[in-house]
Amino acid sequence: MSTRMHAVSQRSFGGPEVLELVETERPQPGPDEVLVRVRAAGVNPADWRIRSGEVRRFGEPPFTLGLDLAGEVEAVGAGVSRFGPGDRVFGVALLPRGAYAEYAAVPQDRLAAVPPGLDLVQAAALPTAGLTAWQPLTHHAPVRAGQRVLVHAAAGGVGHLAVQIAKARGAYVIGTARAAHHPFLRELGADELIDYTRTDFTTALRDIDTVLDPVAGDYGPRSLAVLTPAGTLLDTRGTGPDRTTTRHLAAELGLRYVEFGFTPAAADLARLAALAERGQLRAAVAELLPLAEAAAAHRLSESGRVRGKIVLSVG
């Protein structure tokens, strides 16, 4: 059996053109790791932020990008008890050994089983965006039946999953999105929609219990204006000055503000899978591109006009 594989690597920070398809050594799983034969890899905004050098927490290149993956277990480390060869799994790769590759060695606590009714492309679209929607809406500001939840960028990767999760928990769900996306969001269960290009949501809404904001910028301070006194603003995107301004304003107003970053967690991945199996959660795949076209996938993602998710087909 060959010990080589194809992967998309980068040798420097920069634009999409730094991504190149290379042949490299197949990773070996550590004691608590699972070697996954990757069939599909999700593309997230975090990927191109890392590629460009905006986010540098993973050190200097070369490395392989990609957080989200789905595929079959090829082999397991000596300490792995939850999975065996042939099992279908999905989850979050551990950078810098990312998911844009034919094989990835992933800690078992970052993986969950793919239910029988879920295909691997759909599964690969779920982990990062799904956890970014699920964890704040269930752990940090648990949504209850009858609450009013506002989701910004509702047609985006995080947003369209947040709409479905909040709806599954019994909320009245409002989304901001361009009018062209409104039929799509109504199919997902949104109760009310606001075209942000024509209407300022702060003039149209009041008494919101929870706002999920993957946009940041001025959306944070403006969102505080529509909350109930006991409401919560969940910021899944803001950085630096964005968060500083919103944090100070929330404190002045006595409102709850949560700065959120997702945690790869097998239990939460399993809950997402259960929702998907029951038909309450569907990742909309806007584009399915071959692994060799990772640069084109990044250009699409950076455009900010993707409805749902982009996925790379690995084979």
Side-chain angles (χ1 to χ4, degrees):
M1 180 184 296
S2 173
T3 62
R4 305 287 286 176
M5 69 171 186
H6 289 101
V8 172
S9 181
Q10 65 180 95
R11 289 180 285 184
S12 62
F13 292 118
E17 68 278 358
V18 303
L19 299 178
E20 55 182 333
L21 188 68
V22 300
E23 188 176 279
T24 185
E25 285 296 316
R26 184 187 303 181
Q28 297 299 312
D32 199 42
E33 291 184 330
V34 174
L35 181 64
V36 179
R37 173 61 172 100
V38 180
R39 298 298 182 181
V43 176
N44 295 287
D47 298 347
W48 50 262
R49 292 187 181 108
I50 296 166
R51 183 214 70 221
S52 69
E54 178 184 333
V55 174
R56 299 196 177 216
R57 71 184 67 170
F58 303 104
E60 296 291 316
F63 45 65
T64 297
L65 289 175
L67 295 170
D68 296 348
L69 56 79
E72 299 100 9
V73 174
E74 181 81 7
V76 299
V80 174
S81 57
R82 296 175 53 231
F83 305 107
D87 289 349
R88 300 196 319 152
V89 296
F90 76 118
V92 183
L94 183 62
L95 297 180
R97 298 181 304 167
Y100 294 4
E102 291 177 325
Y103 293 87
V106 185
Q108 66 172 333
D109 61 3
R110 288 170 165 253
L111 294 169
V114 177
L118 187 65
D119 70 53
L120 293 178
V121 170
Q122 286 276 316
L126 275 177
T128 296
L131 292 173
T132 302
W134 172 266
Q135 289 176 342
L137 292 174
T138 61
H139 300 340
H140 297 276
V143 172
R144 302 187 306 276
Q147 288 188 320
R148 289 164 57 81
V149 175
L150 171 61
V151 178
H152 289 308
V158 172
H160 86 290
L161 298 175
V163 166
Q164 296 172 77
I165 290 167
K167 193 65 183 174
R169 295 176 69 86
Y172 180 89
V173 182
I174 306 161
T176 60
R178 291 175 179 269
H181 298 316
H182 289 191
F184 162 71
L185 290 166
R186 291 198 186 280
E187 288 180 7
L188 298 182
D191 297 288
E192 185 177 339
L193 295 161
I194 295 173
D195 180 356
Y196 66 87
T197 68
R198 297 187 175 189
T199 303
D200 180 350
F201 70 89
T202 65
T203 67
L205 298 175
R206 285 294 180 272
D207 300 322
I208 301 297
D209 295 291
T210 303
V211 177
L212 188 135
D213 175 22
V215 181
D218 69 349
Y219 270 70
R222 292 166 62 211
S223 294
L224 293 171
V226 305
L227 287 173
T228 68
T232 301
L233 170 58
L234 300 165
D235 177 354
T236 68
R237 169 65 180 90
T239 57
D242 292 340
R243 282 185 163 167
T244 301
T245 300
T246 308
R247 187 187 311 120
H248 289 166
L249 182 57
E252 289 175 8
L253 296 173
L255 294 169
R256 186 164 179 257
Y257 171 56
V258 176
E259 301 172 38
F260 174 79
F262 86 97
T263 301
D268 285 333
L269 287 167
R271 293 182 181 104
L272 291 173
L275 274 181
E277 189 172 28
R278 293 197 298 268
Q280 293 179 291
L281 184 65
R282 173 176 64 87
V285 177
E287 295 284 348
L288 180 62
L289 299 171
L291 180 65
E293 294 185 22
H298 277 219
R299 291 186 184 96
L300 281 172
S301 181
E302 288 183 78
S303 74
R305 292 289 180 263
V306 177
R307 188 170 80 181
K309 291 297 301 292
I310 301 168
V311 176
L312 297 174
S313 174
V314 185

